[in-house]
Amino acid sequence: MLSVSGLTVDYGAVRAVEGVGFEVGTGEVVALLGANGAGKTTTLMAIAGLRRIASGEIAFEGRALAGLAPEEIVRLGIGVAPEGRRIFAGLSVAENLALAAAIVAPEAASERLEALLARFPILRERYRQRAGLLSGGEQQMLAVARALLPAPRLLMLDEPSLGLAPQMVDRIFDLIVELKSEGITVLLVEQNVARSLEVADRGVVLANGRVALAGPAAELRADDQVRAAYFAA
């Protein structure tokens, strides 16, 4: 579904990502892992059209994404729940979701909205409330719901469990499993490596902007290098 090849991204004179390549198959959950500053978020932002690439290729279902505006990439079927949630705090839950529905036909938008409110009942309860007054977990649910409303075939989640209470972390990872069962492909950036490799089919480990390791999630869980870096007490 997604192919990234030779991806290089610069921030001015600083090279954030260099020569990164990986693939995400239809229906897979792929975890993009690495320490802070490894290039994970930069990679996601490049795929989403929010960061200009210096070189390399990104293709979604065979179509090159380079040069496309972010809204065009969303229309192709890629959704993003960004790091830090990036909700519109001064708008209500309803207004945040209405913005996501702007590119969807009205009849489909209404049906999808009802399905999302059934999936995330707390958003129905808080529907007219300002989004900035939601708890961190509720804001994350809103960010994910907003990304899902246009019915993406590929959902990219950037640090969805960061800063959340343990019960909400469990809900996030249960949700990823649910989405996979519904046929949605997921590219996951997540600091909780252990939980990520439990729900992922495959993992890609970045270090200093390059791919350091890649393989089936079960193999990465058992890899001494991964265990030493991410599972040490």
Side-chain angles (χ1 to χ4, degrees):
M1 176 174 277
L2 179 73
S3 174
V4 178
S5 176
L7 178 65
T8 298
V9 182
D10 297 330
Y11 286 86
V14 177
R15 179 142 290 178
V17 170
E18 184 169 12
V20 165
F22 61 90
E23 294 183 345
V24 180
T26 301
E28 281 192 311
V29 175
V30 173
L32 193 59
L33 308 171
N36 288 339
K40 307 182 301 297
T41 292
T42 297
T43 299
L44 254 61
M45 293 301 97
I47 296 168
L50 295 166
R51 178 58 57 181
R52 186 172 178 271
I53 68 174
S55 61
E57 297 180 353
I58 304 171
F60 176 66
E61 297 180 330
R63 177 168 179 175
L65 300 185
L68 295 183
E71 60 269 26
E72 294 177 282
I73 292 172
V74 171
R75 286 190 174 95
L76 287 178
I78 298 179
V80 186
E83 182 179 10
R85 296 141 200 164
R86 302 293 181 91
I87 60 169
F88 295 97
L91 300 182
S92 68
V93 169
E95 289 166 333
N96 271 269
L97 293 173
L99 288 172
I103 63 169
V104 181
E107 318 77 49
S110 178
E111 183 177 331
R112 291 175 194 172
L113 176 60
E114 184 55 37
L116 286 169
L117 294 177
R119 184 191 289 275
F120 304 115
I122 192 64
L123 298 183
R124 191 190 298 277
E125 292 178 28
R126 306 280 194 266
Y127 197 59
R128 299 299 174 187
Q129 186 172 313
R130 271 180 47 206
L133 299 177
L134 302 179
S135 70
E138 292 164 354
Q139 289 184 12
Q140 188 62 66
M141 293 298 103
L142 176 57
V144 174
R146 186 178 60 182
L148 286 173
L149 206 152
R153 296 185 298 285
L154 170 64
L155 176 64
M156 301 196 298
L157 300 173
D158 195 355
E159 303 286 9
S161 80
L162 187 63
L164 301 185
Q167 184 177 2
M168 188 56 70
V169 171
D170 290 342
R171 177 66 185 113
I172 289 292
F173 284 99
D174 288 346
L175 174 63
I176 293 170
V177 173
E178 291 170 15
L179 294 174
K180 180 185 177 182
S181 73
E182 294 166 14
I184 296 175
T185 305
V186 178
L187 178 57
L188 171 67
V189 166
E190 174 57 53
Q191 45 84 33
N192 191 330
V193 175
R195 295 294 299 271
S196 297
L197 291 177
E198 288 175 3
V199 301
D201 297 289
R202 293 187 298 110
V204 178
V205 180
L206 299 186
N208 300 316
R210 296 173 177 268
V211 174
L213 287 169
E219 291 182 10
L220 291 179
R221 285 200 303 271
D223 187 281
D224 289 341
Q225 184 177 345
V226 174
R227 294 183 67 84
Y230 300 109
F231 294 95

